Amino acid sequence: MVKRLIATVFAGLALASSAMAEPLKIGYSDWPGWVTWEIAIEKNMFEEVGVDVEFEWFDYVASMDAFAAGQLDAVTMTNGDALVTGATGAQNVMILINDYSNGNDMIVAAPGISSIKELKGKKVGVEIGFVGHLLLLNALEKNGMTEKDVELVNVPTNETPQVLASGQVDAIVAWQPNSGQALTLVPGSTRIYSSKDEPGLIYDVLAVTPSSLAQHQEEWTKVIKAWDMAVAYLNDESTRDEAISIMAARVGLSPDEYKGFIDGTKIMSTKEAMAFAEKADGFTSIYGSSKIADDFNVANDVYKDAQPIDSYIDMSLMKAAN
């Protein structure tokens, strides 16, 4: 009996050890602020800080689906989509601000249209209920208009370049690379508004399951340290070209093409991001921006009940990295 008890104890310890040895599984997708993780992967920065991670590459929506299905410990999302994911059952906590969109999210108009006001009475292709829709509402409001002044056509973001080229709509809302593809595909098309006109409208983050955050705080702190190393590698003039080449290779583009995408994204170290981590109203705070996104989501029936914003954000590990 004693031998069996000892064997059981050792088996339990072995299982616990095995569970502890499991790498942190992180889903990421095609956005410059998230492709930056590729630098840390390729340059062995996670090994350097002493944390075992496994990154899995997805299409954006598929990454959120995998997170919701419990296949990942963390996923890269916008702050607004973190709320959507949580409201529909997959609770998450944003622990790191990777960047804010600084021009890569755009409203691209067909030839002959050069301003938001000229969209009055026109058709706009946008994925309704997603962040592009919020960008459009922001642009309309700034120009004294509402969405009643335009006709919305629900178009998946990855189809917007083709839809604009076909003439079915007069403008589209999309993020890179789709926004850039639309400008290339339709000669004479024009960017008439972008996220650069409202910094902080869209924050891009790393969101973690509450259970993983509670069990692996030390490991997630190391992940954040590796992030800072990757950003430093990207910003260092002596390694910047190599960093951009690593990022471009991940998405199958040339380094020259990819430089433009990076320019439209304010990729931040944790020190830079801390300026946006304080509680405040408006777009200059991730709290304020998330509240605006929450109001938008409820108003557009993305989900029914307003979300408890504070429970979705924990910047303590980011602060610890500084």
Side-chain angles (χ1 to χ4, degrees):
M1 178 65 74
V2 172
K3 288 182 178 179
R4 289 180 64 184
L5 180 59
I6 292 172
T8 301
V9 169
F10 274 105
L13 289 172
L15 285 171
S17 176
S18 174
M20 287 176 64
E22 283 290 312
L24 299 174
K25 293 183 179 179
I26 303 171
Y28 69 135
S29 54
D30 189 357
W31 174 260
W34 302 328
V35 178
T36 304
W37 287 113
E38 197 71 20
I39 301 168
I41 296 167
E42 292 294 324
K43 303 306 292 185
N44 300 316
M45 292 173 180
F46 295 105
E47 289 87 344
E48 193 171 334
V49 298
V51 63
D52 189 11
V53 297
E54 180 181 308
F55 274 78
E56 296 186 35
W57 183 256
F58 292 90
D59 288 335
Y60 180 51
V61 174
S63 72
M64 293 185 289
D65 289 343
F67 181 79
Q71 297 168 12
L72 300 169
D73 296 294
V75 67
T76 56
M77 297 188 280
T78 69
N79 58 317
D81 286 335
L83 301 178
V84 176
T85 301
T88 52
Q91 287 299 306
N92 62 86
V93 183
M94 295 177 258
I95 64 168
L96 172 66
I97 304 172
N98 300 109
D99 67 86
Y100 62 79
S101 181
N102 197 34
N104 278 345
D105 292 79
M106 306 177 196
I107 300 174
V108 178
I113 299 173
S114 59
S115 70
I116 293 294
K117 289 184 177 179
E118 291 176 42
L119 289 180
K120 189 163 186 176
K122 301 283 202 276
K123 293 181 179 180
V124 180
V126 60
E127 195 159 6
I128 293 173
F130 281 76
V131 70
H133 188 183
L134 178 57
L135 179 71
L136 175 62
L137 292 183
N138 180 266
L140 292 170
E141 182 182 356
K142 281 194 165 184
N143 285 272
M145 300 164 67
T146 71
E147 65 179 2
K148 292 181 180 178
D149 290 309
V150 297
E151 182 181 342
L152 298 187
V153 179
N154 194 20
V155 179
T157 302
N158 63 348
E159 297 177 15
T160 50
Q162 293 75 26
V163 171
L164 183 66
S166 72
Q168 297 175 55
V169 297
D170 302 289
I172 56 95
V173 190
W175 56 79
Q176 292 283 24
N178 303 291
S179 51
Q181 289 169 359
L183 288 167
T184 301
L185 193 60
V186 184
S189 60
T190 309
R191 179 181 70 178
I192 59 173
Y193 194 82
S194 80
S195 50
K196 192 170 186 177
D197 296 299
E198 190 66 84
L201 177 75
I202 306 162
Y203 289 98
D204 300 296
V205 304
L206 179 68
V208 181
T209 66
S211 60
S212 183
L213 178 59
Q215 295 170 27
H216 303 292
Q217 288 223 0
E218 183 179 347
E219 289 91 339
W220 287 116
T221 301
K222 290 178 180 179
V223 168
I224 291 172
K225 288 180 179 177
W227 167 260
D228 269 339
M229 293 169 65
V231 174
Y233 204 84
L234 176 62
N235 290 337
D236 188 328
E237 286 303 318
S238 67
T239 52
R240 184 170 177 80
D241 286 345
E242 183 189 0
I244 292 173
S245 293
I246 290 170
M247 295 170 71
R250 169 69 270 187
V251 298
L253 293 174
S254 72
D256 284 343
E257 285 178 289
Y258 207 73
K259 282 179 183 176
F261 294 176
I262 293 173
D263 291 342
T265 314
K266 179 56 179 173
I267 299 170
M268 297 184 286
S269 66
T270 55
K271 185 175 181 180
E272 292 173 293
M274 285 311 303
F276 306 94
E278 300 301 323
K279 288 187 181 181
D281 295 329
F283 292 115
T284 58
S285 163
I286 191 170
Y287 289 89
S289 176
S290 298
K291 178 62 171 68
I292 292 167
D294 186 49
D295 292 342
F296 164 82
N297 289 335
V298 172
N300 287 277
D301 296 321
V302 177
Y303 48 75
K304 182 180 177 182
D305 298 319
Q307 295 299 293
I309 302 300
D310 286 6
S311 71
Y312 280 87
I313 303 171
D314 183 348
M315 299 285 102
S316 63
L317 301 189
M318 208 168 70
K319 289 178 181 177
N322 288 280

